[in-house]
Every structure is written in structure tokens, then in C-alpha cells.
Amino acid sequence: MVQGCEDLQAEPGLPHAPRVSYRMTEAAVVLAEPGTLAVFGFGAGAPSVDDPRWLRVEQEPFDAPTPLELWQVEADVIHGRDGDLNWSSGGGWLFAAIEPDEREHGGPVGAARYAYERLRHFVGGRAEHQVLRIWNYIGAINHGDGDQERYKQFCEGRAHGQGDFFAEGYPAATAIGHDGAEHHLQVYLLACTHAGERVENPRQVSAWHYPRQYGRTSPGFARAMTLPAQDVLAISGTAAVVGHASAHVGDLEAQLNETLTNLAALLASADMPAGFDTHSPLKAYVRHPADAPRVREILQQRLPGVPVLMLHGDVCRSELLVELDGWRYA
């Protein structure tokens, strides 16, 4: 573990990154605090809250009670709804979320296309039009064979829906299976008035260059994104992929260690100090609930003191058992 740094060395005029944290509290408490851009609850036990800044993520947590995830900015925040799209903004930052029902859009391809078309048109008309980070939570993500696997169908719909919006480069992203209804797609993003810097991992083939075996449409995401003020690295979903192949099939501990090696490579590529600290929250998505205690034990040994939210989630490749994403603050 490394110590956090409170003195963020940002260029004048560039917005400081949102502060992301986990907190044991009620949603109403943090939604009432100044600068709250977004709040996330997890699993079926999270409450329903009528506020555009609130999202109940369809991932079941392994810990009870479960903290909320909080995004806060150094500015006043406004929020609203644009049809079925929720949004909030402040300090040069934008949160937007949409949750289409596949049954209303002809299945996973149509729902993904619709979600990304709506987000593209909404974000493209705003000052905060630089999309830096996206999360995709997909029901039954590994169901289906070959090109009919639901994740591969999602990738096709996403590519159609986003069009050429990311022609200059993809944002960082996560795509994970959730525990809710199969037809329920959840997509949310963080955008800014200023561009970030995309980061790739030299140990991995860039996702958009994956060979045909991974689907008709390659996944479109950067491995990480340095936010505009160079004060945080937003880390995409990271698993035991070396080159383009899944490593250590069937070996949970080896896959988790390989994932941590990939995270270290990302930090080095971004010119960030090695290691994580108490201000840099991570999520661990674990395929099999029985594996959660061992994942927690290894992470406590390898990343002592680092806040890790443990969630049940199917990784986009059926042979991968665990995935990590999160934030590394400078």
C-alpha cells in the first residue's frame, strides 16, 4: 500500500476529478450533501430513491451491511431527467444513466443500440461531451453460444449505437453480468468538459484489436483513462487476460494474481506511483460466491487498507472468475 496525496497537482482551469468513496450511511444523507453528483446502492436490498442522481446497481454484494458508492465534486450540482435518461452535472462533470428493457427493443442488440444512441445524442449536445468512463451491467451476460452469446450481442448493439462518437478513442469501461432480470440493461457514464488521456496495457492486446474468435464486433474500450487534471486514473474492468487470451483457466488464485499484475502494468503505463492506497476504491466482481472469501483474503494481503467493494458478477468471458476495476488517485 502507498500513502495518499491530498495535494493534487492540476493545471489551472482543469476540473478536479470527482472524489469517489464508499460510505456506510443512508442515501438521503449523501444526496443532501453539497457537491453530490451520483450515489449508487447495490443489490436487491438497496432502496428505491426518486432522485436522478441515485442508481440501484443490479449487483449483489457479498458484505452486509453494504456501503453506498458516492461521487462528489467541488461545485454545485444540478440534475434532471431527459425522458428515460437520468443526469446530473456540476464543476465540469456529467453523470448520465439509462436502463432500457430489452423486451421493448427486440433483445440485447437493440437495447444496447438504443442505450448508446440515447447517451450519444444527450452527451453530444452538452458542454461535458468528453466521455471518460462507462459502466455496463448486463443480465445473463454469458448465455448463448458463439456469436449469440449475450455479451457479444451487446458489443454489436453498442457499436451501432455509438456510431463514430468515439472516433478519436474509446473511454475506459466495465461490462459485467448482473443478478437482476435478464432483460434489464444498465449503462451509466462519467463525462467532462475536458478530454482525458487513454492508457493501454503493454501486456494486453487493445480490446478493439481482438481477433474474430471473440465475436463479430470487438469490444470498444480503453484499459484506463487518466482524468483531465492528471489527478486520478479511472481503471477499466481488468481480469487475467494476457495478450488477448484468458490465462490460468480454472485457477482462481492465479487469475487474481495475474489481474493484479495487469493493474500494476496500467499504473506504470500511466506514470502513476505503484500500488493503491486508502483513497483509491476498487470493486471486485466474483463469479462464484464460494470464491468470495478467498478473493477477499488475497486482496487484504496484497492491497492492505485499500477499500474494496465485493460484488457478485459474471465476467464477460465465461472462463474468467474475477475482475477488478476502480480508481487510483494521485
Side-chain angles (χ1 to χ4, degrees):
M1 188 182 76
V2 298
Q3 296 301 313
C5 176
E6 296 298 326
D7 182 19
L8 303 179
Q9 300 297 316
E11 293 181 25
L14 292 177
H16 288 292
R19 176 58 63 180
V20 178
S21 61
Y22 301 141
R23 195 186 306 177
M24 291 289 190
T25 187
E26 299 294 326
V29 172
V30 288
L31 287 167
E33 293 181 3
T36 296
L37 187 71
V39 182
F40 304 88
F42 298 90
S48 296
V49 179
D50 186 20
D51 188 302
R53 298 169 294 167
W54 166 262
L55 183 66
R56 185 180 70 81
V57 176
E58 296 267 30
Q59 307 277 167
E60 289 298 327
F62 287 114
D63 296 311
T66 305
L68 301 178
E69 180 179 347
L70 172 63
W71 296 1
Q72 289 185 309
V73 297
E74 301 171 351
D76 293 333
V77 171
I78 60 173
H79 54 80
R81 294 184 171 91
D82 185 306
D84 57 355
L85 187 151
N86 292 349
W87 64 272
S88 61
S89 67
W93 296 96
L94 172 71
F95 161 74
I98 190 166
E99 302 180 79
D101 188 326
E102 291 182 7
R103 298 171 299 182
E104 298 175 1
H105 301 282
V109 175
R113 179 191 298 116
Y114 173 78
Y116 273 79
E117 284 176 346
R118 288 282 288 117
L119 289 166
R120 171 167 56 91
H121 290 302
F122 179 75
V123 175
R126 295 190 58 93
E128 311 96 334
H129 64 278
Q130 299 283 348
V131 178
L132 305 180
R133 184 69 168 88
I134 299 183
W135 292 258
N136 308 278
Y137 293 121
I138 304 159
I141 191 170
N142 300 131
H143 287 193
D145 296 324
D147 288 337
Q148 297 307 305
E149 185 190 41
R150 287 173 54 78
Y151 175 62
K152 293 174 183 175
Q153 292 186 310
F154 164 81
C155 289
E156 291 184 22
R158 170 172 60 180
H160 288 302
Q162 68 194 20
D164 63 356
F165 193 63
F166 299 128
E168 296 182 1
Y170 293 109
T174 293
I176 286 286
H178 67 60
D179 297 303
E182 178 176 312
H183 56 81
H184 185 200
L185 173 65
Q186 295 185 297
V187 182
Y188 65 95
L189 61 78
L190 178 68
C192 187
T193 52
H194 293 73
E197 294 184 9
R198 295 163 186 85
V199 178
E200 290 300 301
N201 184 345
R203 305 182 77 241
Q204 298 176 315
V205 172
S206 294
W208 59 91
H209 287 152
Y210 279 176
R212 174 64 177 83
Q213 70 196 74
Y214 299 105
R216 288 187 293 255
T217 304
S218 295
F221 66 94
R223 298 293 179 184
M225 179 77 73
T226 302
L227 300 195
Q230 305 288 310
D231 50 356
V232 66
L233 183 69
I235 300 170
S236 295
T238 303
V241 173
V242 180
H244 60 75
S246 301
H248 315 296
V249 174
D251 189 330
L252 172 71
E253 185 164 345
Q255 285 196 1
L256 183 52
N257 287 330
E258 194 74 67
T259 300
L260 292 171
T261 299
N262 278 331
L263 290 182
L266 277 174
L267 294 180
S269 294
D271 294 325
M272 300 282 285
F276 291 85
D277 59 39
T278 57
H279 301 290
S280 298
L282 302 176
K283 291 191 184 78
Y285 305 96
V286 183
R287 179 178 295 276
H288 301 304
D291 289 339
R294 183 56 180 152
V295 171
R296 181 184 292 107
E297 180 182 16
I298 293 170
L299 292 177
Q300 288 175 344
Q301 293 170 353
R302 296 286 304 274
L303 304 175
V306 175
V308 180
L309 183 59
M310 299 277 297
L311 299 171
H312 181 225
D314 291 337
V315 186
C316 62
R317 298 185 188 181
S318 59
E319 69 273 14
L320 293 174
L321 303 175
V322 62
E323 180 168 303
L324 302 178
D325 70 13
W327 310 83
R328 173 57 164 91
Y329 284 83

